[in-house]
Amino acid sequence: MGPSRSFQNLLLLLLPLALALCSAAASGEASRRFWVENDTFWKDGAPFQIVGGDVHYFRIVPEYWKDRLLRAKALGLNTIQTYVPWNLHEPKPLSWEFKGFTDIESYLRLAHELDMLVMLRVGPYICGEWDLGGFPPWLLTIEPTIELRSSDSTYLSLVDRWWGVLLPKIAPLLYSNGGPIIMVQIENEFGSFGDDKNYLHYLVEVARRYLGNDIMLYTTDGGAIGNLKNGTILQDDVFAAVDFDTGSNPWPIFQLQKEYNLPGKSAPLSSEFYTGWLTHWGERIATTDASSTAKALKRILCRNGSAVLYMAHGGTNFGFYNGANTGQNESDYKADLTSYDYDAPIREYGDVHNAKYKALRRVIHECTGIPLLQLPSKIERASYGLVEVQKVASLFDVIHNISDALKVAFSEQPLSMELMGQMFGFLLYTSEYQEKHSSSILSIPKVHDRAQVFVSCSHGDVRKPRYVGIVERWSSKTLQIPSLSCSSNVSLYILVENMGRVNYGPYIFDQKGILSSVEIDGIILRHWKMHPVSLNAVGNLSKLQLIMQMTDAEASKVSIYGDSENKLQDVSLYLNEGISEEPAFYEGHFHIDSESEKKDTFISFRGWNKGVAFVNNFNIGRFWPAIGPQCALYVPAPILKPGDNVIVIFELHSPNPELTIKLVKDPDFTCGQ
């Protein structure tokens, strides 16, 4: 028996609904939409308040990405904001990196899995206290010189090429495509740099080409008329967000924000709500009061404004990627610390059991009703104790081993680091001059950033040059060189350190190395030889056969025959006797019994001077306890391993006299005070 007519009629009535449901299912996430209307953010048809925070994937070891995002979520955040540093992803022209620290797609997918939205700051300039504001330093080698952050055609073509790689990778992760990205930022605080609207329009055009018209693009500028006038592009329907000092009354600034957005499209948003501040070497560590920070956030959130905490979690400037700032001129140079803790609620090492985290969490819950998740457990840290280190070699012992012969260059005048292909770290410049009977005056009018000067007689012991002094970008550029009474010319050695490129302001075109002529007693030195110092394989230094590199005079002090074990110990004693003022490599070892004993730790460099440290060949950053305030460098547990762990220290001056370091549980920001 067939179905009754009434049942058939019911089927006919239900069929359109079923087809509609099937169509919706087939379209997947087609209904997903994020937009601004009636001065309110909307997500999927409902009003939405952004409670966000910056958590930068490139400042966290990838093994800890999930941990830090979960801590941000437990703070009450529903959105993560992050920059994308061009220099990490294209370290050399057309050489693309998207693995490990640079696997941005995995980071964005992880945020999505944790039900967090993303505001993506794709630059091309990011600032962020990051080397060169995120620009690849090879941009500084292009001739004719390009104008960064402008409509310069060569610069725009390179931006187009970079975004042509990046933006197609993130397009599938846009909110309308089922991903977490609700907004994409164009440039960063351009209004405090320039007023080239054609440049901003071009960036919008490129972004729309790859990302479509549905994604909300936004700019961020300081909440003042001049900044907003120069940095916003409302005619392109780009949302203008503001940032401002947490001591400011936010609502008059949000009212000003309306003038730089289209009517009805000015949801109040502080896209950088400062939970702390940056610190330069030589300063006291920047801190802000937890209670006043929470009150400032409450003034925004409890009136339905939106805010993004800068930073929610700061992280670490591993390697050579810290940025720097300048004052009234480019010589007034201040490099940022290795730590980017920022006094953020989630500390550099992940701690959330602190007053600021708890105060901000309370306010977020009170103002938004976002449920309080259980506080994440404390991350265990270990004190592995005292570690003895041994001098492996002076820099001058091994310069030919750690300087690629194919990259050593000769030139009439000193070349910049960038032209030498030495984008980070150190470059050794050498030349000769004829000595006078009395002392001489060395002048380097322009050095970026810090030079150590050594001399030796050209036909003497060139492996042990005599230390003369330092020439710094921010201080006097002359140095008195004592007479060596050489029978030949004097060899001059200048080791220059790139301490981090300027990331903000008018002096961002910040080349490194010796950028001027070098004069001895007013006479220009010529015929320079330049050795790029490679620190990529410092873990192999102890394997070098240093005995064979000694001069005859040195070798006569030890025997390389007989009992090899005893003789090697003799050599080690010889290398360590006497602590001189010279750049040198030191090595130490500590043992971890098992995988479960691997824990976060800090290496304390109290008693040391200045340099760079490596753990298991990973560059954990710069130390400078002689000036402070940072005394200890953070070592995340994933860098460690069961068994033997190797620490290599490149000390630029003289080590701790006891030749020891300490692996401790807690950070220390009290050096140099």
Side-chain angles (χ1 to χ4, degrees):
M1 179 185 292
S4 67
R5 183 172 297 278
S6 60
F7 184 68
Q8 289 175 329
N9 290 338
L10 179 61
L11 286 175
L12 290 172
L13 289 171
L14 292 175
L15 185 59
L17 177 60
L19 290 172
L21 290 172
C22 289
S23 176
S27 63
E29 303 288 346
S31 62
R32 290 169 63 92
R33 188 182 171 212
F34 184 89
W35 76 102
V36 61
E37 188 178 350
N38 296 328
D39 292 336
T40 302
F41 291 118
W42 295 79
K43 183 171 79 74
D44 302 338
F48 185 77
Q49 185 177 19
I50 294 173
V51 186
D54 268 78
V55 181
H56 300 158
Y57 61 98
F58 48 91
R59 284 183 158 122
I60 308 164
V61 291
E63 295 89 342
Y64 278 173
W65 283 348
K66 185 174 183 178
D67 174 88
R68 300 309 193 251
L69 291 176
L70 284 172
R71 290 169 192 275
K73 189 177 178 72
L75 181 59
L77 306 188
N78 56 31
T79 304
I80 291 299
Q81 184 171 250
T82 182
Y83 290 122
V84 182
W86 183 1
N87 53 13
L88 273 189
H89 293 283
E90 194 183 4
K92 298 177 182 177
L94 295 172
S95 174
W96 309 106
E97 295 287 342
F98 289 96
K99 294 179 181 178
F101 274 85
T102 58
D103 188 356
I104 183 173
E105 294 165 278
S106 290
Y107 183 74
L108 297 175
R109 282 194 292 267
L110 181 57
H112 189 43
E113 289 169 16
L114 299 177
D115 197 27
M116 301 193 81
L117 302 172
V118 173
M119 296 168 63
L120 197 62
R121 316 175 85 174
V122 296
Y125 163 80
I126 65 170
C127 185
E129 289 73 64
W130 193 252
D131 186 83
L132 199 57
F135 286 129
W138 51 261
L139 291 178
L140 307 182
T141 69
I142 294 172
E143 293 291 344
T145 301
I146 64 173
E147 188 176 347
L148 301 174
R149 306 183 73 187
S150 79
S151 295
D152 178 299
S153 60
T154 303
Y155 166 68
L156 290 182
S157 68
L158 293 167
V159 171
D160 204 340
R161 187 177 78 187
W162 155 230
W163 275 12
V165 172
L166 173 68
L167 299 188
K169 288 180 178 292
I170 69 169
L173 296 165
L174 300 181
Y175 189 74
S176 60
N177 293 332
I181 303 171
I182 54 171
M183 299 171 71
V184 174
Q185 183 175 301
I186 298 296
E187 246 271 351
N188 187 50
E189 295 181 327
F190 186 73
S192 57
F193 176 81
D195 59 0
D196 186 346
K197 295 287 187 177
N198 289 333
Y199 166 50
L200 297 179
H201 293 318
Y202 183 81
L203 295 180
V204 172
E205 177 189 324
V206 178
R208 293 283 184 217
R209 187 192 315 157
Y210 292 106
L211 304 179
N213 294 321
D214 292 335
I215 184 66
M216 184 186 297
L217 302 180
Y218 71 111
T219 55
T220 291
D221 284 289
I225 291 174
N227 295 333
L228 289 166
K229 181 180 177 182
N230 291 339
T232 57
I233 33 180
L234 76 168
Q235 59 268 52
D236 287 348
D237 194 15
V238 173
F239 177 81
V242 290
D243 58 44
F244 44 83
D245 180 306
T246 50
S248 302
N249 182 351
W251 290 96
I253 298 173
F254 288 144
Q255 193 63 36
L256 176 65
Q257 178 192 11
K258 285 188 174 185
E259 298 179 25
Y260 296 91
N261 277 306
L262 294 173
K265 293 194 173 185
S266 193
L269 170 63
S270 171
S271 53
E272 287 190 10
F273 174 87
Y274 300 110
T275 60
W277 199 246
L278 61 103
T279 305
H280 303 118
W281 291 107
E283 299 175 348
R284 288 189 176 274
I285 191 72
T287 59
T288 58
D289 177 68
S291 176
S292 61
T293 305
K295 286 178 183 176
L297 183 61
K298 185 174 182 177
R299 286 197 295 266
I300 296 173
L301 295 186
C302 278
R303 289 183 59 180
N304 288 322
S306 291
V308 180
L309 309 184
Y310 192 97
M311 299 290 296
H313 169 61
T316 310
N317 294 319
F318 293 116
F320 295 120
Y321 281 100
N322 66 278
N325 289 290
T326 52
Q328 293 185 343
N329 57 64
E330 65 175 339
S331 294
D332 185 11
Y333 171 87
K334 303 167 186 175
D336 298 322
L337 302 183
T338 297
S339 172
Y340 197 62
D341 180 82
Y342 212 83
D343 198 27
I346 306 169
R347 305 304 302 271
E348 178 180 15
Y349 48 98
D351 173 67
V352 297
H353 296 268
N354 61 74
K356 185 170 288 183
Y357 186 95
K358 293 173 182 177
L360 295 179
R361 184 169 178 261
R362 232 178 0 254
V363 162
I364 291 169
H365 174 67
E366 177 186 339
C367 294
T368 68
I370 292 174
L372 288 176
L373 301 177
Q374 184 176 351
L375 273 178
S377 59
K378 288 187 177 181
I379 297 174
E380 290 189 55
R381 303 192 299 279
S383 175
Y384 294 108
L386 198 69
V387 175
E388 294 182 353
V389 302
Q390 187 176 69
K391 182 177 176 182
V392 177
S394 159
L395 172 68
F396 298 105
D397 289 332
V398 293
I399 187 62
H400 297 292
N401 299 86
I402 61 174
S403 183
D404 187 340
L406 296 177
K407 294 183 179 179
V408 173
F410 298 85
S411 175
E412 278 295 290
Q413 292 291 336
L415 299 176
S416 72
M417 286 188 173
E418 290 81 8
L419 287 176
M420 286 290 301
Q422 184 74 353
M423 300 305 175
F424 298 97
F426 303 85
L427 185 64
L428 179 66
Y429 295 81
T430 65
S431 185
E432 290 187 353
Y433 67 93
Q434 191 170 7
E435 186 177 42
K436 298 194 309 183
H437 293 296
S438 58
S439 62
S440 297
I441 298 298
L442 170 72
S443 173
I444 313 176
K446 193 171 184 180
V447 60
H448 288 187
D449 299 304
R450 189 174 186 269
Q452 292 167 259
V453 179
F454 304 82
V455 290
S456 72
C457 294
S458 296
H459 294 145
D461 183 6
V462 296
R463 289 205 184 280
K464 296 290 181 184
R466 177 176 174 178
Y467 174 71
V468 176
I470 304 168
V471 178
E472 296 164 322
R473 174 173 179 169
W474 54 91
S475 60
S476 171
K477 298 296 188 297
T478 60
L479 197 63
Q480 184 171 325
I481 301 178
S483 173
L484 297 182
S485 300
C486 296
S487 59
S488 58
N489 284 344
V490 174
S491 291
L492 176 69
Y493 306 85
I494 305 174
L495 179 66
V496 178
E497 179 186 5
N498 164 2
M499 289 180 55
R501 293 179 183 84
V502 173
N503 59 261
Y504 179 82
Y507 306 110
I508 192 172
F509 198 97
D510 187 21
Q511 291 178 307
K512 297 301 186 181
I514 296 177
L515 307 177
S516 65
S517 296
V518 177
E519 296 182 1
I520 294 283
D521 299 324
I523 300 172
I524 294 176
L525 287 188
R526 304 189 185 278
H527 310 298
W528 289 89
K529 184 178 182 181
M530 287 145 288
H531 299 262
V533 179
S534 173
L535 300 177
N536 293 333
V538 291
N540 296 324
L541 281 175
S542 60
K543 298 180 178 66
L544 293 176
Q545 296 179 13
L546 296 181
I547 299 171
M548 303 304 293
Q549 296 173 25
M550 292 181 180
T551 63
D552 291 340
E554 290 170 323
S556 67
K557 298 184 180 182
V558 295
S559 169
I560 60 173
Y561 302 101
D563 185 334
S564 60
E565 181 178 347
N566 291 337
K567 298 312 176 188
L568 283 172
Q569 289 176 353
D570 291 341
V571 172
S572 297
L573 288 171
Y574 172 71
L575 288 174
N576 281 328
E577 71 178 9
I579 295 173
S580 58
E581 182 85 359
E582 64 174 357
F585 295 93
Y586 300 82
E587 184 178 296
H589 297 254
F590 67 100
H591 191 272
I592 295 177
D593 290 336
S594 64
E595 188 71 28
S596 63
E597 294 301 310
K598 271 177 44 179
K599 293 181 173 60
D600 288 3
T601 191
F602 290 83
I603 301 180
S604 173
F605 286 94
R606 283 186 174 272
W608 291 75
N609 198 303
K610 188 181 195 304
V612 185
F614 301 80
V615 177
N616 296 331
N617 271 335
F618 181 90
N619 186 338
I620 61 169
R622 310 171 197 264
F623 61 87
W624 199 2
I627 190 170
Q630 183 174 3
C631 314
L633 297 185
Y634 173 52
V635 183
I639 293 171
L640 304 177
K641 60 185 180 180
D644 185 50
N645 290 265
V646 183
I647 300 171
V648 175
I649 302 165
F650 181 39
E651 165 63 62
L652 295 172
H653 294 277
S654 53
N656 181 322
E658 297 174 359
L659 288 181
T660 59
I661 52 174
K662 284 184 180 178
L663 273 64
V664 297
K665 284 186 177 181
D666 297 309
D668 186 355
F669 292 103
T670 60
C671 282
Q673 303 300 319

